[in-house]
Amino acid sequence: ANAGIDKVLTCSVTSVSIGSPSVSGINYSWLPTNGLSNPNSPQTNASQPGTFIVTATDPISGCSASDAVTITQDILAPIANAGIDKTLTCTTTSVTIGSTAVAGINYTWSPPNGLSNANAAQTTTNQPGTFVIKATNPANGCFATDAVIISQDITSPTINAGTDKVLTCTTTSVIIGTS
């Protein structure tokens, strides 16, 4: 019996082939059977982590042999952090969004318009809107997303100094403005 080499399930590899080609006249069985596509085949697909044992039995002689294979799982998603919501104003015309990059992780922002770098963990924007960052671990295909909302408040205040006033020799001061 040959269970094959140990393998790893990931976010992008959700099933792996284990075992070896069939030998004529030999019966095969795998234990445990959970997560296996065909537990009575010399080769099967495993979709769950665990240690699987294949037993090959010769029905004529009654002799059997076993082998084990271990399937591990790497489905840890990276952290995506778009940062806190921010507001663009007349004096704050650009804001930084995102967080410090983690080595080995790929970052993509969408939409990319208005961003200084759409492929960085941290970038700047001068545009209002909702921006979504996707952090992907290329080693296991796992990803996470997070969003930040950039609002804009650039409404000028209303100003009213009141009606025109005239100073004269007898009117030496006036109140200006509105109440």
Side-chain angles (χ1 to χ4, degrees):
N2 182 356
I5 60 170
D6 294 348
K7 296 188 177 179
V8 179
L9 296 170
T10 66
C11 292
S12 56
V13 178
T14 58
S15 178
V16 291
S17 177
I18 56 176
S20 60
S22 175
V23 174
S24 180
I26 302 297
N27 296 330
Y28 297 90
S29 64
W30 288 88
L31 289 175
T33 59
N34 291 347
L36 297 181
S37 62
N38 185 352
N40 295 313
S41 171
Q43 284 184 305
T44 186
N45 290 319
S47 60
Q48 291 182 358
T51 299
F52 298 93
I53 300 168
V54 62
T55 301
T57 305
D58 183 334
I60 296 172
S61 70
C63 295
S64 65
S66 297
D67 190 27
V69 63
T70 300
I71 306 302
T72 56
Q73 192 169 44
D74 176 8
I75 56 170
L76 182 63
I79 295 173
N81 184 356
I84 61 170
D85 294 349
K86 297 186 178 181
T87 303
L88 296 169
T89 66
C90 294
T91 56
T92 304
T93 58
S94 179
V95 292
T96 300
I97 57 177
S99 61
T100 304
V102 174
I105 303 299
N106 297 334
Y107 299 93
T108 347
W109 287 90
S110 69
N113 298 343
L115 299 176
S116 61
N117 185 347
N119 296 309
Q122 197 169 54
T123 187
T124 59
T125 184
N126 60 5
Q127 300 293 314
T130 299
F131 296 93
V132 177
I133 187 171
K134 180 178 180 181
T136 304
N137 182 345
N140 65 8
C142 299
F143 68 89
T145 60
D146 191 30
V148 63
I149 298 170
I150 306 303
S151 56
Q152 189 172 43
D153 180 6
I154 55 171
T155 304
S156 298
T158 304
I159 228 169
N160 184 353
T163 58
D164 292 346
K165 308 275 180 158
V166 176
L167 294 175
T168 66
C169 293
T170 55
T171 308
T172 58
S173 71
V174 293
I175 297 174
I176 58 173
T178 60
S179 55

